Amino acid sequence: MQEEQDVELEARLADQERFEPPESFVEQANVADGSVYEEFEEEWPGCWTQAADLLDWDEEYDTVLDDSNPPFYEWFTGGSLNASANCLDRHLDERGDEAAIEWVGEPTDEDNRTFTYEELHREVNEFAAALRELGVGEDDVVTMYMPMVPELPIAMLACARIGAPHSVVFAGFSADALATRMNAADSEHLVTTDGYYRRGDHLEHKAKADEGLAGVDHEVSDVVVVDRLGDAYDHPMADNHHAYGDLVAEQAGAAVEPVSRDAEDMLFLMYTSGTTGQPKGVKHTTGGYLSWAAWTSQSVLDIKPEDTYFCSADIGWITGHSYIVYGPLALGTTTMMYEGTPDYPEKDRLWDIVEEYEADQLYTAPTAIRAFMKWGTEYPDSHDLSSLRLLGTVGEPINPRAWKWYYKHIGGEDCPVVDTWWQTETGGMMVTTLPGVKDMKPGSAGPPLPGLDVQVVDTNGDEVEPGEAGYLTAQKPWPGMLRTLYNNDERYISEYWEEYSDTDSDDPDDWVYFPEDGAKVDEDGYITVLGRVDDVINVSGHRLGTMEIESAIVGVEGVAEAAVVGGDHEMKGEAVYAYVITEDGQEGDAAFEEEIVAAVEDAIGPIARPEAVVFTPELPKTRSGKIMRRLLEDIANEEDLGDTSTLRNPDVVEDIEAKVRDD
Ligand code: WT7
């Protein structure tokens, strides 16, 4: 593959070392026997009963995998279960008085909230009853546009209880993004929040929700608003807007029988960015997804019921779905939620939380780790972090330096670090070390988990030699996989399968899943993920489509053309760079740049904010008129531009480069 990736990779692996799992960890690990790899291979797909066995089923399944119609695989068919019953009811006898959720608000002077399993069960029942009363029926999609408040997992579990799929939209996304997702899912119900706290200020979220609702193209029957800010923010409530507090009070003590769902029934939808402007509605199911979330939480995060487990992600992303809500609660552990940012009121807030709650695991993103590194060791050093037993990272490649810093300064060289590769579409972890079994190699995520056939292949689909770069693929299905893109089977095939499958075949062996990541594998089968090979930018571990951003920019009056690429960024991993051609007479000045940035924030959210807007008279294009993104990326990264001879307009590259250096 690309030469520059090889160079980057060499730099990343130059100082690659091995770390053995700490003895103290191995002694108590949920999985400490390496024979699981062989065992799963031999018993595939029957091995996955081990994941399904972590759940309580209303009706036992009769088939582990139905692969008669690839790539529309079905798992645990014939079985039925309820996700909320699995996350709550079945724990009540033994864990009723134990904390299910420890919620920490950002302001330090207020009461944090603990929900025991008993209390969480009660409120989920009450809100499930309230949703029913509002007319939410089985299979109606309920959208949640909520920050990190406990009512978010409560609403998710209430939906799960009555068989209504949820679609959570990250609170940092814009009003437009909310409208697009509600429209795509034909969702008539919204649960939102008046606001939340960010770096000491309150954010007025309801205004954004109202703006989004104005863009919904069908009737929205009701909007439920959680009160987080109290008197701090007075917002109008329309006739169909209800206060969450009133609804649950009206249903005090209500009991809602969990609806038994087929294993293959949709548990939730999650919209994620793709290469077109239209986000993809990834569909996850009740049986396969929940089994996967539970099994990976147990095997990789080593979660035990008596743990206090802390994942610092936002529930608005898949990480929070699988590894704050469903996986941990299915296992009956205590899961933590933190509302705010890690630097408020001081840069030691996470360490303060870890110490106070005696967290056993911490699962976070490389971007956060790079920030902690920059802030300095005095922050973690001033806290007792000895409760930690395991550390994890997710969302983007972690450079060995950051990995080692995390291992040493947070884990005290006594906790395994799991670098977990996966995606919204995979439902849960795919490539990572089993922490009680495998050595760790900083910079490499590790081997595929047992029971997975993940290979790095060349453009023909043939496995590459160790050390060579290629494309990551999954050659066999797995229970947590997406089932399709909502209402769009065709796009499901074209986005994930077409590349390496024989799409005319009914033989599952001819179907290969392509996650759009580049990767390399070493002699030990350890996979180093190199990053996306499609037009998706990974900013701080969050996925953004270049097309989505470009369409926001070309919507600005005075913009003729735009190209957006990802460039390296010290903290964020990647950042957004926008190259813009203005229309005749339109000045490319600071005011116009601001307008463009604001348009992107409006269309997607602050996370997509371009790091730089470069006005240029032309864009580098191939003879067939395709924009050469690679070149623009190189310019953003100040790299050697290589061969530009296939360009229709080679001079333009120098012009753009000169402009970037001026700015
Ligand atoms: C993309 C998926 C996984 C939940 C959060 C992001 C990148 C993810 C790693 C890792 C290198 C990683 C990939 C992937 N990615 N984990 N450990 N090492 N890259 O979910 O928004 O669906 O993004 O994140 O490029 O395709 P997502």
Side-chain angles (χ1 to χ4, degrees):
M1 229 168 38
Q2 288 81 15
E3 218 173 279
E4 59 266 39
Q5 285 198 334
D6 289 346
V7 174
E8 184 232 12
L9 183 79
E10 253 165 55
R12 262 169 64 192
L13 299 187
D15 53 350
Q16 185 161 54
E17 298 164 31
R18 293 179 86 105
F19 292 78
E20 280 177 15
E23 201 46 51
S24 57
F25 182 88
V26 176
E27 278 166 12
Q28 58 77 63
N30 284 341
V31 182
D33 185 349
S35 64
V36 58
Y37 289 94
E38 257 169 54
E39 185 201 324
F40 272 45
E41 199 176 327
E42 278 162 22
E43 284 169 30
W44 197 91
C47 54
W48 292 122
T49 53
Q50 290 199 28
D53 283 350
L54 293 172
L55 306 180
D56 283 0
W57 295 76
D58 299 334
E59 191 76 54
E60 273 300 319
Y61 49 86
D62 33 56
T63 312
V64 173
L65 167 65
D66 176 352
D67 56 5
S68 57
N69 182 27
F72 300 97
Y73 297 98
E74 298 191 345
W75 288 89
F76 310 124
T77 48
S80 63
L81 75 169
N82 180 279
S84 130
N86 268 284
C87 290
L88 299 170
D89 304 47
R90 65 176 180 146
H91 305 312
L92 292 179
D93 279 349
E94 278 180 28
R95 311 260 317 146
D97 295 332
E98 305 294 334
I101 296 179
E102 291 281 12
W103 178 82
V104 180
E106 191 191 75
T108 48
D109 56 356
E110 80 175 292
D111 287 338
N112 299 319
R113 297 176 71 186
T114 301
F115 289 82
T116 63
Y117 271 94
E118 191 80 51
E119 289 163 341
L120 189 63
H121 177 261
R122 185 181 316 139
E123 195 154 327
V124 166
N125 270 271
E126 290 166 352
F127 192 53
L131 287 172
R132 271 219 177 125
E133 189 89 7
L134 289 173
V136 177
E138 213 176 325
D139 293 318
D140 290 348
V141 176
V142 177
T143 302
M144 282 146 214
Y145 188 40
M146 296 169 86
M148 289 289 281
V149 291
E151 290 81 1
L152 173 53
I154 289 169
M156 291 162 73
L157 292 167
C159 280
R161 199 166 189 86
I162 60 173
H166 52 73
S167 164
V168 180
V169 178
F170 175 55
F173 274 146
S174 68
D176 279 3
L178 171 65
T180 309
R181 286 157 179 75
M182 284 187 79
N183 289 338
D186 221 357
S187 172
E188 295 174 1
H189 310 272
L190 176 68
V191 186
T192 186
T193 313
D194 57 352
Y196 53 108
Y197 290 91
R198 256 309 167 278
R199 295 210 167 86
D201 272 341
H202 73 262
L203 286 191
E204 303 188 342
H205 187 65
K206 174 66 167 29
K208 224 166 56 160
D210 284 338
E211 199 189 320
L213 285 165
V216 176
D217 60 13
H218 54 267
E219 202 184 319
V220 173
S221 54
D222 40 74
V223 177
V224 179
V225 186
V226 171
D227 177 9
R228 167 74 184 111
L229 299 179
D231 294 336
Y233 172 39
D234 205 16
H235 55 88
M237 294 280 276
D239 285 347
N240 64 339
H241 293 191
H242 315 272
Y244 170 91
D246 294 347
L247 294 183
V248 291
E250 276 163 27
Q251 300 293 343
V256 173
E257 184 65 26
V259 172
S260 205
R261 300 276 282 168
D262 280 352
E264 281 294 308
D265 280 344
M266 172 158 58
L267 177 60
F268 66 86
L269 266 180
M270 167 123 255
Y271 282 90
T272 186
S273 295
T275 39
T276 73
Q278 195 62 20
K280 307 187 275 197
V282 171
K283 176 184 161 180
H284 282 296
T285 57
T286 312
Y289 168 83
L290 197 62
S291 304
W292 196 248
W295 181 77
T296 47
S297 294
Q298 194 191 48
S299 323
V300 179
L301 296 171
D302 199 51
I303 289 177
K304 302 174 170 66
E306 56 276 17
D307 287 341
T308 298
Y309 156 82
F310 184 16
C311 167
S312 72
D314 192 293
I315 295 177
W317 307 101
I318 192 71
T319 306
H321 278 53
S322 303
Y323 300 115
I324 295 178
V325 183
Y326 286 112
L329 293 178
L331 298 179
T333 197
T334 300
T335 186
M336 303 218 39
M337 281 179 74
Y338 171 51
E339 178 184 34
T341 61
D343 57 351
Y344 185 86
E346 290 298 333
K347 296 188 173 73
D348 66 344
R349 188 65 191 274
L350 289 199
W351 319 128
D352 195 55
I353 295 172
V354 167
E355 179 171 12
E356 184 177 341
Y357 289 86
E358 299 181 35
D360 294 272
Q361 295 92 343
L362 177 68
Y363 191 34
T364 192
T367 293
I369 297 166
R370 288 190 292 266
F372 301 147
M373 261 173 91
K374 191 170 170 191
W375 296 340
T377 51
E378 63 264 36
Y379 296 102
D381 285 354
S382 62
H383 291 275
D384 177 3
L385 305 180
S386 61
S387 61
L388 289 170
R389 183 172 88 238
L390 171 132
L391 302 174
T393 78
V394 58
E396 36 172 338
I398 181 163
N399 45 309
R401 207 161 73 86
W403 191 103
K404 284 186 217 159
W405 188 92
Y406 193 38
Y407 180 73
K408 180 164 181 204
H409 295 284
I410 308 304
E413 298 178 273
D414 212 20
C415 302
V417 174
V418 286
D419 171 358
T420 60
W421 177 88
W422 57 291
Q423 317 178 289
T424 304
E425 292 86 344
T426 68
M429 299 159 179
M430 299 287 282
V431 177
T432 184
T433 48
L434 282 175
V437 174
K438 293 280 182 187
D439 286 358
M440 300 163 265
K441 299 188 190 184
S444 289
L449 284 171
L452 297 179
D453 186 3
V454 174
Q455 294 180 13
V456 182
V457 302
D458 62 20
T459 41
N460 299 320
D462 300 323
E463 218 171 342
V464 299
E465 293 296 313
E468 267 173 41
Y471 302 94
L472 202 60
T473 59
Q475 307 270 336
K476 275 187 195 159
W478 65 100
M481 66 194 299
L482 80 164
R483 295 304 191 267
T484 191
L485 293 176
Y486 192 53
N487 287 336
N488 205 339
D489 289 348
E490 236 168 82
R491 190 170 177 200
Y492 168 63
I493 293 177
S494 67
E495 293 263 358
Y496 305 107
W497 301 94
E498 220 152 53
E499 197 86 21
Y500 292 108
S501 308
D502 173 1
T503 53
D504 294 326
S505 170
D506 289 336
D507 182 351
D509 289 343
D510 292 332
W511 287 82
V512 173
Y513 175 84
F514 180 42
E516 303 270 4
D517 272 308
K520 221 166 181 180
V521 61
D522 72 10
E523 280 82 9
D524 300 325
Y526 277 52
I527 291 170
T528 294
V529 179
L530 301 168
R532 304 281 306 191
V533 295
D534 59 359
D535 294 333
V536 165
I537 308 180
N538 189 332
V539 178
S540 305
H542 302 311
R543 214 157 119 181
L544 301 169
T546 50
M547 280 280 284
E548 276 173 278
I549 306 175
E550 282 164 9
S551 69
I553 297 177
V554 295
V556 178
E557 213 181 300
V559 172
E561 220 181 325
V564 163
V565 299
D568 295 343
H569 192 275
E570 199 193 336
M571 286 305 207
K572 303 176 186 172
E574 275 190 294
V576 174
Y577 289 83
Y579 298 87
V580 173
I581 304 180
T582 60
E583 277 174 356
D584 270 356
Q586 174 67 53
E587 189 78 32
D589 55 15
F592 196 48
E593 173 166 354
E594 244 170 64
E595 216 182 301
I596 289 168
V597 170
V600 174
E601 287 198 5
D602 277 352
I604 300 158
I607 183 164
R609 207 189 145 85
E611 192 70 20
V613 176
V614 180
F615 294 105
T616 157
E618 249 191 291
L619 290 166
K621 289 189 178 157
T622 60
R623 283 177 218 285
S624 61
K626 221 177 147 230
I627 295 173
M628 299 274 288
R629 287 171 188 286
R630 190 98 232 153
L631 278 177
L632 293 173
E633 278 165 23
D634 289 349
I635 294 171
N637 294 333
E638 301 186 44
E639 275 169 25
D640 180 7
L641 299 177
D643 182 17
T644 55
S645 60
T646 56
L647 279 180
R648 191 180 66 191
N649 43 4
D651 295 347
V652 72
V653 175
E654 267 169 50
D655 290 354
I656 299 176
E657 227 198 342
K659 285 222 58 157
V660 174
R661 308 290 162 254
D662 286 352
D663 285 352

Short mmCIF file of all heavy atoms in Angstrom, two decimals, residues 330-358:
data_model
loop_
_atom_site.label_atom_id
_atom_site.label_comp_id
_atom_site.label_asym_id
_atom_site.label_seq_id
_atom_site.Cartn_x
_atom_site.Cartn_y
_atom_site.Cartn_z
N ALA A 330 -25.28 -6.12 31.65
CA ALA A 330 -25.62 -7.53 31.43
C ALA A 330 -24.84 -8.41 32.40
O ALA A 330 -25.32 -9.45 32.84
CB ALA A 330 -25.33 -7.93 29.99
N LEU A 331 -23.62 -7.96 32.77
CA LEU A 331 -22.81 -8.76 33.68
C LEU A 331 -23.07 -8.42 35.15
O LEU A 331 -22.47 -9.00 36.05
CB LEU A 331 -21.31 -8.57 33.37
CG LEU A 331 -20.85 -9.03 31.98
CD1 LEU A 331 -19.37 -8.76 31.80
CD2 LEU A 331 -21.15 -10.51 31.75
N GLY A 332 -23.93 -7.44 35.40
CA GLY A 332 -24.33 -7.13 36.77
C GLY A 332 -23.28 -6.36 37.56
O GLY A 332 -23.26 -6.41 38.79
N THR A 333 -22.43 -5.62 36.87
CA THR A 333 -21.39 -4.87 37.57
C THR A 333 -21.85 -3.46 37.88
O THR A 333 -23.00 -3.08 37.63
CB THR A 333 -20.09 -4.85 36.72
OG1 THR A 333 -19.00 -4.49 37.54
CG2 THR A 333 -20.21 -3.89 35.55
N THR A 334 -20.95 -2.65 38.46
CA THR A 334 -21.24 -1.23 38.67
C THR A 334 -20.57 -0.45 37.56
O THR A 334 -19.35 -0.52 37.39
CB THR A 334 -20.68 -0.75 40.03
OG1 THR A 334 -21.30 -1.52 41.06
CG2 THR A 334 -20.95 0.72 40.24
N THR A 335 -21.37 0.26 36.79
CA THR A 335 -20.81 1.03 35.68
C THR A 335 -20.88 2.51 36.04
O THR A 335 -21.85 2.97 36.63
CB THR A 335 -21.53 0.70 34.35
OG1 THR A 335 -20.87 1.36 33.27
CG2 THR A 335 -22.98 1.12 34.34
N MET A 336 -19.80 3.24 35.68
CA MET A 336 -19.74 4.66 36.04
C MET A 336 -20.11 5.53 34.84
O MET A 336 -19.91 5.16 33.69
CB MET A 336 -18.32 5.02 36.47
CG MET A 336 -17.86 4.17 37.62
SD MET A 336 -16.87 5.08 38.80
CE MET A 336 -17.65 6.64 38.91
N MET A 337 -20.63 6.70 35.16
CA MET A 337 -20.91 7.69 34.11
C MET A 337 -20.42 9.03 34.62
O MET A 337 -20.73 9.42 35.74
CB MET A 337 -22.43 7.84 33.91
CG MET A 337 -23.10 6.79 33.12
SD MET A 337 -24.89 7.16 33.02
CE MET A 337 -24.92 8.53 31.85
N TYR A 338 -19.66 9.73 33.79
CA TYR A 338 -19.22 11.08 34.17
C TYR A 338 -19.75 12.08 33.15
O TYR A 338 -19.59 11.89 31.94
CB TYR A 338 -17.69 11.12 34.26
CG TYR A 338 -17.14 12.52 34.42
CD1 TYR A 338 -17.65 13.37 35.41
CD2 TYR A 338 -16.14 13.02 33.59
CE1 TYR A 338 -17.19 14.67 35.55
CE2 TYR A 338 -15.66 14.31 33.73
CZ TYR A 338 -16.19 15.13 34.71
OH TYR A 338 -15.73 16.42 34.84
N GLU A 339 -20.37 13.11 33.65
CA GLU A 339 -21.04 14.08 32.78
C GLU A 339 -20.10 14.98 31.99
O GLU A 339 -20.41 15.36 30.86
CB GLU A 339 -21.94 14.98 33.65
CG GLU A 339 -22.66 16.08 32.88
CD GLU A 339 -23.46 17.01 33.79
OE1 GLU A 339 -23.02 17.25 34.93
OE2 GLU A 339 -24.52 17.47 33.34
N GLY A 340 -18.96 15.31 32.57
CA GLY A 340 -18.22 16.46 32.05
C GLY A 340 -16.92 16.15 31.35
O GLY A 340 -16.72 15.07 30.80
N THR A 341 -16.01 17.12 31.37
CA THR A 341 -14.72 16.98 30.70
C THR A 341 -13.64 16.61 31.73
O THR A 341 -13.79 16.90 32.91
CB THR A 341 -14.31 18.29 29.99
OG1 THR A 341 -14.18 19.30 31.00
CG2 THR A 341 -15.34 18.71 28.97
N PRO A 342 -12.55 15.99 31.27
CA PRO A 342 -11.54 15.52 32.21
C PRO A 342 -10.71 16.64 32.84
O PRO A 342 -9.96 16.39 33.76
CB PRO A 342 -10.64 14.61 31.36
CG PRO A 342 -10.99 14.87 29.95
CD PRO A 342 -12.32 15.55 29.90
N ASP A 343 -10.88 17.86 32.36
CA ASP A 343 -10.06 18.96 32.88
C ASP A 343 -10.86 19.95 33.72
O ASP A 343 -10.44 21.08 33.93
CB ASP A 343 -9.35 19.68 31.72
CG ASP A 343 -10.33 20.21 30.69
OD1 ASP A 343 -11.54 19.88 30.78
OD2 ASP A 343 -9.90 20.96 29.80
N TYR A 344 -12.02 19.51 34.20
CA TYR A 344 -12.82 20.42 35.01
C TYR A 344 -13.11 19.83 36.38
O TYR A 344 -13.55 18.70 36.43
CB TYR A 344 -14.14 20.77 34.34
CG TYR A 344 -14.90 21.81 35.12
CD1 TYR A 344 -14.65 23.17 34.95
CD2 TYR A 344 -15.81 21.42 36.11
CE1 TYR A 344 -15.29 24.11 35.72
CE2 TYR A 344 -16.45 22.36 36.88
CZ TYR A 344 -16.19 23.72 36.68
OH TYR A 344 -16.82 24.65 37.46
N PRO A 345 -12.94 20.50 37.48
CA PRO A 345 -12.39 21.86 37.55
C PRO A 345 -10.87 21.90 37.37
O PRO A 345 -10.31 22.94 37.10
CB PRO A 345 -12.76 22.32 38.97
CG PRO A 345 -12.86 21.05 39.75
CD PRO A 345 -13.33 20.00 38.79
N GLU A 346 -10.22 20.71 37.53
CA GLU A 346 -8.77 20.64 37.32
C GLU A 346 -8.45 19.47 36.41
O GLU A 346 -9.30 18.60 36.19
CB GLU A 346 -8.06 20.43 38.67
CG GLU A 346 -8.11 21.63 39.61
CD GLU A 346 -7.42 22.86 39.03
OE1 GLU A 346 -6.49 22.70 38.20
OE2 GLU A 346 -7.83 23.99 39.41
N LYS A 347 -7.23 19.42 35.98
CA LYS A 347 -6.85 18.38 35.03
C LYS A 347 -6.70 17.00 35.67
O LYS A 347 -6.18 16.08 35.05
CB LYS A 347 -5.56 18.79 34.32
CG LYS A 347 -5.72 20.04 33.47
CD LYS A 347 -4.47 20.29 32.64
CE LYS A 347 -4.63 21.42 31.66
NZ LYS A 347 -4.65 22.76 32.29
N ASP A 348 -7.12 16.89 36.91
CA ASP A 348 -7.02 15.59 37.57
C ASP A 348 -8.41 14.98 37.82
O ASP A 348 -8.55 14.08 38.63
CB ASP A 348 -6.30 15.71 38.91
CG ASP A 348 -7.10 16.54 39.91
OD1 ASP A 348 -8.04 17.25 39.49
OD2 ASP A 348 -6.79 16.45 41.11
N ARG A 349 -9.42 15.50 37.12
CA ARG A 349 -10.77 15.07 37.47
C ARG A 349 -10.97 13.55 37.34
O ARG A 349 -11.55 12.91 38.20
CB ARG A 349 -11.82 15.82 36.61
CG ARG A 349 -13.26 15.56 37.04
CD ARG A 349 -13.52 16.11 38.44
NE ARG A 349 -14.79 15.68 39.00
CZ ARG A 349 -15.96 16.28 38.80
NH1 ARG A 349 -16.03 17.35 38.04
NH2 ARG A 349 -17.06 15.83 39.37
N LEU A 350 -10.46 12.95 36.27
CA LEU A 350 -10.65 11.51 36.11
C LEU A 350 -9.97 10.74 37.22
O LEU A 350 -10.50 9.75 37.74
CB LEU A 350 -10.13 11.01 34.76
CG LEU A 350 -10.90 11.41 33.50
CD1 LEU A 350 -10.52 10.47 32.36
CD2 LEU A 350 -12.40 11.41 33.69
N TRP A 351 -8.79 11.22 37.61
CA TRP A 351 -8.02 10.51 38.66
C TRP A 351 -8.70 10.66 40.00
O TRP A 351 -8.68 9.75 40.84
CB TRP A 351 -6.56 10.99 38.68
CG TRP A 351 -6.05 11.17 37.26
CD1 TRP A 351 -5.45 12.26 36.73
CD2 TRP A 351 -6.16 10.20 36.19
NE1 TRP A 351 -5.19 12.05 35.40
CE2 TRP A 351 -5.61 10.80 35.04
CE3 TRP A 351 -6.69 8.93 36.08
CZ2 TRP A 351 -5.56 10.15 33.80
CZ3 TRP A 351 -6.65 8.28 34.85
CH2 TRP A 351 -6.08 8.89 33.73
N ASP A 352 -9.32 11.80 40.17
CA ASP A 352 -10.12 12.06 41.35
C ASP A 352 -11.28 11.04 41.43
O ASP A 352 -11.56 10.47 42.48
CB ASP A 352 -10.67 13.48 41.21
CG ASP A 352 -11.21 14.01 42.51
OD1 ASP A 352 -10.45 13.99 43.49
OD2 ASP A 352 -12.39 14.43 42.53
N ILE A 353 -11.92 10.84 40.28
CA ILE A 353 -13.05 9.91 40.23
C ILE A 353 -12.58 8.47 40.45
O ILE A 353 -13.17 7.72 41.21
CB ILE A 353 -13.80 10.04 38.88
CG1 ILE A 353 -14.44 11.43 38.75
CG2 ILE A 353 -14.86 8.95 38.73
CD1 ILE A 353 -15.04 11.74 37.37
N VAL A 354 -11.48 8.11 39.77
CA VAL A 354 -10.95 6.75 39.93
C VAL A 354 -10.64 6.48 41.40
O VAL A 354 -11.00 5.44 41.96
CB VAL A 354 -9.67 6.55 39.07
CG1 VAL A 354 -8.93 5.27 39.46
CG2 VAL A 354 -10.03 6.53 37.58
N GLU A 355 -10.01 7.46 42.05
CA GLU A 355 -9.63 7.28 43.46
C GLU A 355 -10.87 7.18 44.35
O GLU A 355 -11.01 6.25 45.15
CB GLU A 355 -8.75 8.45 43.92
CG GLU A 355 -8.35 8.31 45.38
CD GLU A 355 -7.30 9.34 45.82
OE1 GLU A 355 -7.03 10.31 45.08
OE2 GLU A 355 -6.75 9.15 46.92
N GLU A 356 -11.79 8.12 44.17
CA GLU A 356 -12.95 8.17 45.05
C GLU A 356 -13.82 6.91 44.94
O GLU A 356 -14.33 6.39 45.92
CB GLU A 356 -13.79 9.41 44.76
CG GLU A 356 -14.94 9.52 45.74
CD GLU A 356 -15.77 10.78 45.55
OE1 GLU A 356 -15.26 11.74 44.92
OE2 GLU A 356 -16.91 10.78 46.02
N TYR A 357 -14.00 6.44 43.71
CA TYR A 357 -14.89 5.29 43.51
C TYR A 357 -14.12 3.96 43.45
O TYR A 357 -14.70 2.92 43.23
CB TYR A 357 -15.73 5.48 42.23
CG TYR A 357 -16.77 6.56 42.40
CD1 TYR A 357 -16.46 7.89 42.16
CD2 TYR A 357 -18.06 6.24 42.83
CE1 TYR A 357 -17.40 8.90 42.33
CE2 TYR A 357 -19.01 7.24 43.00
CZ TYR A 357 -18.68 8.56 42.75
OH TYR A 357 -19.62 9.54 42.92
N GLU A 358 -12.83 4.05 43.59
CA GLU A 358 -11.98 2.85 43.54
C GLU A 358 -12.27 2.02 42.29
O GLU A 358 -12.60 0.83 42.36
CB GLU A 358 -12.15 2.01 44.81
CG GLU A 358 -11.74 2.80 46.05
CD GLU A 358 -11.88 1.99 47.33
OE1 GLU A 358 -11.64 0.78 47.30
OE2 GLU A 358 -12.23 2.60 48.34
#
